[in-house]
């Protein structure tokens, strides 16, 4: 995903400041929408456990369809328009991979630690609201 965006979309974004600005505002609006949906989400008790975990390919295709990833990659690709693209592309891909591994590991660790705390609906609701606030807060570095 990063390679495709940097190789093609970086040129388009670099040449059109209005498109870059539109992408930032659309991305921010989408994150605000997600924060709202998370904050008002109703928690549901599941009676039957999940029998099969998500496979690697299912997770891969899920991430390929994730609009947040595309917004981040396309926004970043507009910054990478220089002569030596391969080296920059490799560095960006490695940074994205490292960040993904770190954040995924933290989410898995945090999820396993909090699973006991989130068994009650009131705790899950409070967690959803806190996550929504953090999602909104993640926009601050982009606009300030």
């Amino acid at each position: 995903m990063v390679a495709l965006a940097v190789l093609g979309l970086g040129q388009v974004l670099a040449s059109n400041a209005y498109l870059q600005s539109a992408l930032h505002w659309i991305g921010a609006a989408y994150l605000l929408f997600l924060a709202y949906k998370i904050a008002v989400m109703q928690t549901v008790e599941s009676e039957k456990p999940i029998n099969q975990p998500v496979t690697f390919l299912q997770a891969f295709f899920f991430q390929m369809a994730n609009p947040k990833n595309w917004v981040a990659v396309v926004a970043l690709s507009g910054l990478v328009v220089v002569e030596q693209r391969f080296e920059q592309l490799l560095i960006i891909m490695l940074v994205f991979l490292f960040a993904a591994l770190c954040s995924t590991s933290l989410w898995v660790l945090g999820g396993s630690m909090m699973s006991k705390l989130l068994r009650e609906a009131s705790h899950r609701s409070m967690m959803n609201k806190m996550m929504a606030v953090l999602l909104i807060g993640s926009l601050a570095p982009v606009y300030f």
Side-chain angles (χ1 to χ4, degrees), residues 27-81:
Y30 179 69
L31 288 177
L32 289 172
F33 169 75
L34 285 179
Y36 169 76
K37 295 297 276 184
I38 290 169
V40 299
M41 181 187 311
Q42 297 293 322
T43 59
V44 178
E45 296 292 330
S46 177
E47 293 183 13
K48 56 182 181 179
I50 299 172
N51 293 333
Q52 295 210 341
V54 176
T55 66
F56 176 80
L57 284 177
Q58 288 171 328
F60 173 79
F61 287 117
F62 177 74
Q63 288 304 314
M64 290 298 288
N66 187 343
K68 292 182 294 182
N69 288 344
W70 282 103
V71 167
V73 168
V74 171
L76 181 65
S77 69
L79 302 174
V80 184
V81 181

